[in-house]
Amino acid sequence: MTKAEIVEKVYETVGFPKRESYEIVESAFEIVKEELKQGGKVKIAGFGNFSVKEKKSRRGRNPQTGEEIEIPARRVLTFKPSNVLRDALNKE
């Protein structure tokens, strides 16, 4: 599902004009993105938790050449679904 499809669903479900629906969806994503950039967590009841984890640098290997390389430290986004979402996905 794309952002445009989400906007369309909001438009159909809530009945706001498409421009307002777009602004609502865009604002929601921007709020989530800013919170995660600052290292916070985003918890959406009945859906799940988004958080950012720090990964340390580590040694890796280039699979084509076998050469050892240093993989730099980075931040990764994690998502843990809620039990409600997990149950809904597994009932079908």
Side-chain angles (χ1 to χ4, degrees):
M1 177 175 254
T2 65
K3 189 187 302 186
E5 292 170 331
I6 294 171
V7 170
E8 187 66 29
K9 289 286 186 182
V10 169
Y11 166 72
E12 291 171 1
T13 305
V14 181
F16 289 149
K18 282 193 179 182
R19 180 75 181 148
E20 282 186 46
S21 298
Y22 173 80
E23 290 172 2
I24 290 168
V25 171
E26 191 65 32
S27 295
F29 286 151
E30 193 60 36
I31 291 166
V32 170
K33 184 169 46 172
E34 285 303 315
E35 182 63 26
L36 293 170
K37 272 175 136 178
Q38 296 173 9
K41 294 181 181 179
V42 177
K43 298 180 182 187
I44 302 172
F47 189 72
N49 299 325
F50 294 91
S51 62
V52 176
K53 294 197 176 185
E54 302 286 335
K55 287 206 153 194
K56 296 179 182 177
S57 63
R58 61 186 174 91
R59 298 177 77 74
R61 188 175 304 276
N62 181 333
Q64 291 180 340
T65 64
E67 177 187 356
E68 279 196 13
I69 57 172
E70 183 72 21
I71 300 171
R74 63 192 190 278
R75 299 169 73 197
V76 294
L77 178 65
T78 62
F79 173 72
K80 183 176 180 193
S82 71
N83 289 333
V84 173
L85 178 59
R86 195 174 295 136
D87 292 345
L89 294 174
N90 290 315
K91 282 188 179 178
E92 297 178 15

